[in-house]
Amino acid sequence: MTGADFDLVLPEIILALGSMGLLMFGTFGGGDERAGTVNWLMAGLMTLLAAIIAVDPGSGVAFGGAYVADAFSNFAKVLILLSAAVVLVLSRDFLVRRGLMKFEFPVLIGLAVTGMMMMVSSGDLMSLYMGLELQSLALYVVAAFRRDSLKSTEAGLKYFVLGALSSGLLLYGASLVYGYTGSTNFTRIAAVVAAEEVSLGLIFGISFLAAGMAFKMSAAPFHMWTPDVYEGSPTPVTTFFATSPKIAAGVLFARVMYDAFGDATEAWRQIIVFISLVSMFWGAFAGIGQTDIKRLMAYSSIGHMGFALIGLAAGTVDGAEALLIYLAIYLIMTLGVFAFILSMERGGRPVTRIDDFCGLSKNSPGQAMALAALLFSLAGIPPLAGFFGKYFVFVAAVDAGLAPLALAGVVASVIGAFYYLRIIKLMYFDEVDQPLDGRLLASHRLTLGFCALAMTIGWLPFMDGFGLIEASRAAAEALVR
């Protein structure tokens, strides 16, 4: 270990030390009376780190190859840090009004984000596992953050038990990979894979690794925790689950497959295609019968992770670029929708039934319009950004000889559009006796409006996707060397 190693990993060190410092500040500085301050400081620290990484991105390899900083990981870190900061800002009012504003909450989010930053910079199976568990341990706690709620406690317990199972699968896969390649380092694994034929045992190892990562990404058939945890967790926690961890898991998936098994694309492509197909169709069909918006967003996320994996299945630079574009667009759409869900109230009590959207256009036409734009984008209706996210992954799949997978994606997209359009129909054509009476705060209004506007005009010629294509291309080329 050298000083250069620590320079490279400085953002993670600053966030980890910042989290522990804020924990001390909360513990000895007034407890939950300081929770609001801790929340703002953590959001500010994350925003500052995202700006530093975006302006002056470091690159190189540290700790003997266990840590990799490149354009690919930096792209993901900026998304993860900014989305986590936005979630903290959006969550504050909800947590304060329900007596849940504890100083531990932003500290746990900070530690989870530290784990995610390690995940996307992993260059070794051991550092991968350390990052994954640091993220997971914090997420198990925040899922059960509402201790007096049976549903929240159940969500935390269910996520912990199933998360432990997925960690076991991932570790078993890592042990098989080590056994058949003699190393846990991605570069050395890649050298063995390039020099020798991929054995059946190594394919089993890759399969178990993929299962563990698919669980973290909530991709079917390893999605079983997602609807219950989304529904049972406090809504700010659900918002966090739906955003930053998805980016981290998707980028980690690509990092492992491209860096360690880049010369065995044909061996792992079938696994990714299977997971992608099951996710898309399960997310599309299972979401149709949902009556709770948080459960619906869970099935929506399962379907969208299936679409994102189409880019990974391509196994090319274009595929990696499409994956990043898709994840970034999904992140913005989801943040916008949850900015509204966090404010859904009637009589001072939070409500989450889909029927509660009835008549929204008559009472809050601006909010209904912004929400409709985001839902159309989630459904993949052109010319909104969600359509272009799907377009890029489909084109990457066709160019890689996976036209049937792209065709299946089109069919799943049409089926899944039903439940988004149903909400729009409720907002504009159905009557309601008791409309929502929650107040949309300025921060929520700003997030909802910005996300809707970005998804609506982002792909117009003069906006050029806000530079997302160029940034994703550079990140993908750094990964697929």
Side-chain angles (χ1 to χ4, degrees):
M1 288 187 285
T2 65
D5 290 347
F6 287 100
D7 286 345
L8 213 54
V9 79
L10 199 56
E12 285 85 346
I13 293 175
I14 292 174
L15 187 57
L17 291 177
S19 301
M20 288 187 278
L22 290 174
L23 179 64
M24 294 299 107
F25 176 69
T27 303
F28 300 108
D32 293 334
E33 292 178 7
R34 301 283 186 181
T37 307
V38 174
N39 198 62
W40 284 115
L41 288 173
M42 182 58 78
L45 178 61
M46 289 176 177
T47 307
L48 179 64
L49 286 175
I52 291 171
I53 293 172
V55 173
D56 185 21
S59 63
V61 177
F63 306 113
Y67 180 92
V68 179
D70 55 14
F72 187 70
S73 62
N74 290 328
F75 180 93
K77 286 175 190 176
V78 171
L79 290 181
I80 290 167
L81 286 163
L82 287 180
S83 59
V86 171
V87 169
L88 286 178
V89 172
L90 293 178
S91 303
R92 185 180 177 278
D93 181 69
F94 184 99
L95 295 172
V96 168
R97 285 193 290 129
R98 286 157 188 83
L100 293 172
M101 190 68 246
K102 312 290 183 187
F103 70 86
E104 294 93 339
F105 180 74
V107 171
L108 286 165
I109 297 294
L111 292 172
V113 170
T114 308
M116 292 175 206
M117 292 171 73
M118 288 180 62
M119 286 164 59
V120 300
S121 277
S122 298
D124 190 287
L125 292 172
M126 293 298 102
S127 55
L128 177 159
Y129 187 72
M130 286 172 61
L132 203 63
E133 286 306 294
L134 179 56
Q135 174 211 239
S136 299
L137 289 172
L139 295 185
Y140 297 150
V141 180
V142 293
F145 202 69
R146 191 165 201 162
R147 288 175 294 179
D148 58 351
S149 165
L150 186 63
K151 274 192 169 183
S152 180
T153 309
E154 181 189 351
L157 186 61
K158 189 172 285 185
Y159 189 43
F160 172 71
V161 172
L162 294 175
L165 175 64
S166 80
S167 293
L169 291 173
L170 191 138
L171 274 180
Y172 185 60
S175 67
L176 283 173
V177 171
Y178 176 73
Y180 282 92
T181 62
S183 178
T184 57
N185 183 277
F186 291 173
T187 306
R188 291 177 199 143
I189 292 171
V192 173
V193 169
E196 302 173 8
E197 190 176 340
V198 179
S199 64
L200 183 61
L202 188 56
I203 292 175
F204 269 105
I206 296 171
S207 302
F208 279 105
L209 274 179
M213 290 184 287
F215 177 91
K216 300 300 177 187
M217 204 175 174
S218 67
F222 309 100
H223 65 284
M224 61 291 289
W225 62 275
T226 316
D228 293 339
V229 173
Y230 268 48
E231 184 185 16
S233 301
T235 308
V237 176
T238 309
T239 309
F240 184 62
F241 272 115
T243 51
S244 306
K246 292 282 189 292
I247 304 296
V251 170
L252 173 69
F253 216 145
R255 169 75 72 189
V256 174
M257 292 305 168
Y258 281 92
D259 266 6
F261 305 106
D263 287 314
T265 305
E266 292 303 322
W268 54 259
R269 177 177 281 161
Q270 299 167 48
I271 302 167
I272 307 300
V273 167
F274 171 75
I275 295 174
S276 173
L277 278 172
V278 177
S279 293
M280 288 189 297
F281 282 98
W282 184 251
F285 280 111
I288 291 174
Q290 300 305 313
T291 57
D292 185 282
I293 185 64
K294 288 165 72 176
R295 287 188 73 87
L296 178 62
M297 290 305 291
Y299 283 106
S300 168
S301 79
I302 293 167
H304 280 285
M305 291 305 104
F307 290 114
L309 286 175
I310 292 179
L312 179 57
T316 60
V317 177
D318 291 342
E321 178 189 359
L323 170 71
L324 292 178
I325 292 173
Y326 197 93
L327 289 175
I329 291 173
Y330 170 77
L331 177 71
I332 297 171
M333 294 186 296
T334 306
L335 272 177
V337 172
F338 271 100
F340 180 81
I341 294 174
L342 280 163
S343 70
M344 286 177 64
E345 283 185 4
R346 184 177 296 115
R349 295 174 62 83
V351 291
T352 56
R353 288 188 308 122
I354 292 174
D355 288 344
D356 294 320
F357 285 89
C358 288
L360 182 67
S361 65
K362 296 178 180 59
N363 302 306
S364 306
Q367 295 173 26
M369 186 182 297
L371 198 56
L374 291 170
L375 292 169
F376 276 128
S377 187
L378 279 166
I381 308 284
L384 300 170
F387 165 77
F388 289 98
K390 290 191 170 93
Y391 171 78
F392 282 113
V393 293
F394 292 160
V395 169
V398 171
D399 290 345
L402 297 173
L405 179 62
L407 185 61
V410 173
V411 174
S413 183
V414 171
I415 297 168
F418 170 82
Y419 49 72
Y420 302 116
L421 299 179
R422 179 184 162 216
I423 297 175
I424 295 171
K425 176 246 180 193
L426 290 174
M427 290 194 300
Y428 280 91
F429 299 106
D430 285 23
E431 300 293 337
V432 62
D433 296 330
Q434 291 182 299
L436 297 172
D437 54 16
R439 184 170 59 94
L440 204 63
L441 297 174
S443 57
H444 293 234
R445 214 164 32 236
L446 187 65
T447 305
L448 177 62
F450 172 78
C451 294
L453 193 64
M455 294 300 98
T456 306
I457 67 168
W459 244 263
L460 293 178
F462 65 94
M463 298 304 294
D464 198 23
F466 298 105
L468 180 61
I469 296 175
E470 291 76 12
S472 302
R473 186 71 186 179
E477 286 175 347
L479 176 71
V480 189
R481 295 180 289 272

